[in-house]
Amino acid sequence: QVQLRESGGGSVQAGGSLRLSCTVSGRTFSRYAVGWFRQAPGKEREFVAAVDWSDGFTFYADSVKGRFSISRDNAKNTVYLQVSSLRPEDTAVFYCATGGLTSRHEYDYNAWGPGTQVTVSA
């Protein structure tokens, strides 16, 4: 069974940065993807970024391009999300998830972490 655990969230002022981590453990497919999603208060969960574990292919939601960066460390089974130039509207619970496709759709991911809170003050 695959398990994921996010860490690195916190409270920052606008313009600040954080590095979120997602550690993946348990049985995984030889080729899979890790995605980051976020859910702001009162809003639906939305896609942020994803990385293909095998070839490192990445893509992002338009709203975070140029500010967020996703990367992976194969040796540590960890995916990172560097979030920079944060804005109050980035306040959300950030989740990581794994699936068989590098996708922006929640239904392509079948294992999720519990989430980590990011709060950005003006």
Side-chain angles (χ1 to χ4, degrees):
Q1 183 176 355
V2 178
Q3 294 184 327
L4 300 94
R5 173 69 61 177
E6 305 92 341
S7 61
S11 297
V12 297
Q13 291 187 328
S17 300
L18 290 169
R19 188 176 78 159
L20 308 183
S21 299
C22 172
T23 301
V24 182
S25 61
R27 187 180 65 180
T28 58
F29 297 104
S30 59
R31 180 184 180 90
Y32 66 97
V34 175
W36 282 95
F37 293 77
R38 65 183 179 182
Q39 187 166 22
K43 296 188 177 181
E44 294 186 351
R45 191 156 55 185
E46 64 175 2
F47 170 76
V48 175
V51 61
D52 185 292
W53 194 263
S54 296
D55 61 18
F57 171 75
T58 62
F59 71 103
Y60 301 86
D62 288 343
S63 59
V64 305
K65 281 181 181 177
R67 299 190 300 124
F68 292 8
S69 177
I70 190 170
S71 61
R72 76 199 194 288
D73 184 330
N74 293 31
K76 295 182 179 180
N77 284 338
T78 299
V79 172
Y80 301 101
L81 184 69
Q82 179 72 37
V83 295
S84 303
S85 302
L86 285 165
R87 307 164 180 168
E89 54 264 39
D90 292 317
T91 295
V93 178
F94 282 70
Y95 300 90
C96 65
T98 65
L101 294 174
T102 311
S103 168
R104 64 177 65 245
H105 303 295
E106 289 188 44
Y107 53 71
D108 286 321
Y109 295 86
N110 49 34
W112 294 77
T116 186
Q117 176 71 47
V118 172
T119 302
V120 185
S121 57

